[in-house]
Amino acid sequence: MGSIKYFLGCSSPEGFHSFFGELCPTHSGGYTYIIKGGPGTGKSSLMKRINSALTDAGIETELIYCSSDPASLDGVYAPALNCWICLLYTSDAAD
């Protein structure tokens, strides 16, 4: 098993377009875990480790990368578990 990799947002001449709504129905009945923290606190590293643990266990994942920083992982989705792990970026730890 492996991972499917893609972007769910893009910038265009008409502005930013998000496709998160198509992948994340509001009533999916699954689980969503949000990792919140400022820059450099290990959010992306944690998600990469979670993804490795899932794929090592034979669970296929979908990786969503940041459209403005393709090296940055914004989300991990495990369809078989109906489970999302995603980032919430903040500029201040008190947010």
Side-chain angles (χ1 to χ4, degrees):
M1 289 275 154
S3 298
I4 299 169
K5 302 173 183 177
Y6 51 91
F7 301 98
L8 286 179
C10 67
S11 294
S12 75
E14 291 83 32
F16 185 78
H17 293 276
S18 173
F19 301 98
F20 279 89
E22 284 81 3
L23 185 66
C24 311
T26 56
H27 301 290
S28 66
Y31 297 93
T32 301
Y33 298 94
I34 298 172
I35 302 170
K36 179 181 175 180
T41 57
K43 300 176 303 295
S44 293
S45 296
L46 176 61
M47 285 203 314
K48 289 175 185 175
R49 291 180 69 188
I50 291 169
N51 179 64
S52 291
L54 290 169
T55 56
D56 288 350
I59 298 169
E60 186 173 298
T61 59
E62 298 180 14
L63 304 179
I64 294 84
Y65 286 90
C66 177
S67 60
S68 62
D69 179 7
S72 178
L73 185 59
D74 275 357
V76 176
Y77 178 56
L81 303 176
N82 199 12
C83 178
W84 264 104
I85 300 109
C86 54
L87 294 181
L88 175 63
Y89 290 101
T90 62
S91 58
D92 185 301
D95 283 349

